[in-house]
Amino acid sequence: MNFRKNIQERGGGFPMAPMLDIVFLLLIHFMAATVFAQWEKQVDITVPTAKTAQEQQRQIGELILNVDKEGQIHINGQPYADETALELLRQISVAFQDQPIILRADRETSVQSLLRVMDLCREADVWNIALATVTPQE
C-alpha cells in the first residue's frame, strides 16, 4: 500500500501569530507614549519665548514640574503643595542622584514663584534643572 499519496505538503508560509504579537506590542507602546505626552501638557501653561531657545533631546526619566500663573506646582497633572512637592523631590533625589527636571513655568508666573520652586529643588538636592522655553513665532 502507498500511504504517501494522500499526504499533501504545505509550503513554508509566513507565521502570522508572532507578527500579530509584535504589532500589538507596538500599538500598546505608542498608546502609552501618547498618554504620557498628554499628562505633561495637561496644565494650561504658555511657556515663555527666548530667541536662543533650542530643542533638546529628551532625557530618560526626566520629571516635569509645571508652575501655573498662580505659582501652584503640578506634577503629572496633579497639584502639589510646597511641602508635598519637597518631600517628593527628596525621595527622587535619594533614589536618582542625577534626576533631570524640566521646569515649565507660565510666562505670567512671577519670578518669586519660580525662585520658590527652584529653592525647593535646591533644598531637595536636585541640581539637574532646565527651564522650558520656545522660540518666538514670526
Side-chain angles (χ1 to χ4, degrees):
M1 276 176 76
N2 188 1
F3 292 109
R4 296 189 179 250
K5 198 187 308 182
N6 294 334
I7 297 176
Q8 298 177 357
E9 286 191 33
R10 291 187 172 183
F14 186 76
M16 288 300 292
M19 183 57 72
L20 286 173
D21 290 343
I22 291 171
V23 168
F24 283 125
L25 285 174
L26 286 172
L27 180 67
I28 289 169
H29 170 74
F30 288 118
M31 287 171 53
T34 303
V35 168
F36 291 132
Q38 288 174 353
W39 280 352
E40 171 184 320
K41 297 183 180 186
Q42 198 171 26
V43 180
D44 187 27
I45 290 179
T46 305
V47 180
T49 60
K51 291 180 184 177
T52 59
Q54 296 177 351
E55 188 169 337
Q56 299 291 321
Q57 287 287 341
R58 300 287 304 263
Q59 296 180 17
I60 297 173
E62 65 188 13
L63 179 67
I64 298 175
L65 288 176
N66 294 301
V67 184
D68 62 12
K69 296 174 187 175
E70 291 80 29
Q72 178 70 43
I73 301 170
H74 296 267
I75 303 172
N76 287 338
Q78 299 292 329
Y80 281 83
D82 287 356
E83 298 80 24
T84 312
L86 177 61
E87 184 60 34
L88 178 65
L89 289 171
R90 281 185 178 149
Q91 291 173 2
I92 290 171
S93 175
V94 169
F96 308 102
Q97 294 176 351
D98 296 337
Q99 174 68 40
I101 292 185
I102 306 295
L103 189 54
R104 290 182 71 235
D106 193 273
R107 68 175 59 181
E108 296 179 14
T109 302
S110 68
V111 175
Q112 183 62 43
S113 296
L114 187 61
L115 288 176
R116 188 188 86 245
V117 174
M118 292 179 79
D119 278 343
L120 289 175
C121 292
R122 171 81 178 189
E123 192 175 337
D125 200 27
V126 175
W127 58 270
N128 191 0
I129 302 170
L131 296 174
T133 60
V134 294
T135 55
Q137 299 297 325
E138 297 298 325

